Amino acid sequence: MRKNLGFRYTLPALLVMSVFTVIPLLIVLSYSFMTKSSSGGVIYQFSLDAYRTIFSKEYAQVIQNTLQITFLATSLTLLIALPCAYYMAQSKRKEILMLIIIIPFWTNFLVRIFAWKAILEANGLLPLLLMKLNLIAEPQSFLYNRTAVILVLAYTSLPFAILPLYNAIEKFDFGLLEAGRDLGCSHMCSLRKILLPNIRGGIIASIIFVAIPIFGQYVVPQLIGGGAKGTYMIGQQIANAFFQERNWPVPAAFTTLLMAITILGFMIVRLRSVRRVRLLQKRSRAVTQ
């Protein structure tokens, strides 16, 4: 009887996951292999046209733009998040700093994006500040370019990078840094050779939490990029195919591709983690013998 209790306890969760997660994903997957209907929707006839479309030359530039923006925005986010998380982990006011990080979640996402538009537009706060400092002669807009898109994407993703890094750094034994410096390692050398390898799990989690949502972003490139050259991303292409072209199999194929990339990323991270644990166990057994 006791053996069946575990399954009974997890059955409600399995049902919820099946109804609200697995079944919708299977529907999206099946739509990607169907034929486009001229009036919207799909015709229940097997076709690979959607996959031929997303791997065509026309869509290659969109995928390239998306990968470049994702890489640059994720790198910028990590560069900002690492020192923030390090400072938080050593601070005596962790609760207050944590609250400052979480506060942006209380504000609507669109409100935050429009706030950035107000800062970067021609009569916004940034041009006025630069004019006061005599760095520019007349008001100019900093919107509708790739740099603005990357900057705002990094801002919106920052809490998702700081929290996993903070969790990893807080568990780190800072005495190891002092030991490294006593052995002749400089401050930067001890951070690079001792701290970073020991918080690898937090860094990988941050990359996953940041890169995957950025890869499918729609709102930021649409409002901040405005369709300018080099800012068009896959999320906009999916919305365009769904609402304007009414070609449902194409966005379904894009979504399937994103899911496949995400699952592949998780599998790679998982395999690397398992190999690392086995290597550590092997070294531990060798030392004890």
Side-chain angles (χ1 to χ4, degrees), residues 108-270:
N108 184 278
F109 183 77
L110 277 176
V111 172
R112 281 182 277 148
I113 302 304
F114 277 104
W116 270 102
K117 286 194 76 170
I119 292 171
L120 299 175
E121 65 184 5
N123 295 318
L125 182 64
L126 182 61
L128 290 176
L129 180 64
L130 294 178
M131 284 178 66
K132 287 279 185 185
L133 297 172
N134 292 322
L135 295 174
I136 57 174
E138 55 186 25
Q140 64 181 66
S141 174
F142 290 94
L143 286 170
Y144 311 128
N145 58 69
R146 179 177 282 197
T147 305
V149 172
I150 292 169
L151 177 66
V152 177
L153 283 172
Y155 161 75
T156 56
S157 306
L158 204 51
F160 300 105
I162 289 178
L163 295 178
L165 285 172
Y166 167 74
N167 187 44
I169 294 174
E170 195 185 27
K171 295 173 183 171
F172 176 71
D173 182 3
F174 287 94
L176 293 174
L177 294 180
E178 293 178 12
R181 285 194 286 270
D182 290 342
L183 293 172
C185 203
S186 66
H187 181 67
M188 289 304 295
C189 170
S190 59
L191 290 178
R192 182 167 53 86
K193 291 189 174 180
I194 301 173
L195 176 66
L196 291 182
N198 280 284
I199 60 166
R200 186 181 301 163
I203 295 173
I204 292 171
S206 297
I207 291 172
I208 291 171
F209 289 157
V210 171
I212 291 173
I214 288 178
F215 194 76
Q217 257 288 347
Y218 167 74
V219 176
V220 174
Q222 182 71 19
L223 295 179
I224 303 297
K229 186 180 179 183
T231 64
Y232 201 71
M233 295 180 69
I234 281 181
Q236 293 166 282
Q237 190 67 38
I238 290 174
N240 184 52
F242 194 83
F243 293 111
Q244 294 184 17
E245 299 174 5
R246 300 183 68 79
N247 188 348
W248 290 18
V250 167
F254 262 128
T255 307
T256 303
L257 178 65
L258 290 176
M259 282 193 297
I261 292 172
T262 305
I263 292 169
L264 183 65
F266 274 112
M267 288 176 66
I268 291 172
V269 171
R270 176 66 181 161

Side-chain angles (χ1 to χ4, degrees), residues 31-72:
Y31 271 38
S32 70
F33 290 103
M34 292 181 186
T35 304
K36 170 193 172 187
S37 170
S38 57
S39 59
V42 295
I43 299 171
Y44 296 100
Q45 183 179 350
F46 180 80
S47 171
L48 291 174
D49 287 346
Y51 288 94
R52 291 192 192 97
T53 302
I54 67 172
F55 288 111
S56 65
K57 201 173 181 180
E58 180 187 354
Y59 284 71
Q61 185 62 47
V62 180
I63 294 173
Q64 184 182 339
N65 279 340
T66 305
L67 289 173
Q68 289 174 350
I69 291 172
T70 301
F71 173 76
L72 293 172

Side-chain angles (χ1 to χ4, degrees), residues 75-87:
S75 303
L76 178 61
T77 307
L78 285 179
L79 281 175
I80 300 170
L82 260 172
C84 290
Y86 182 79
Y87 179 77

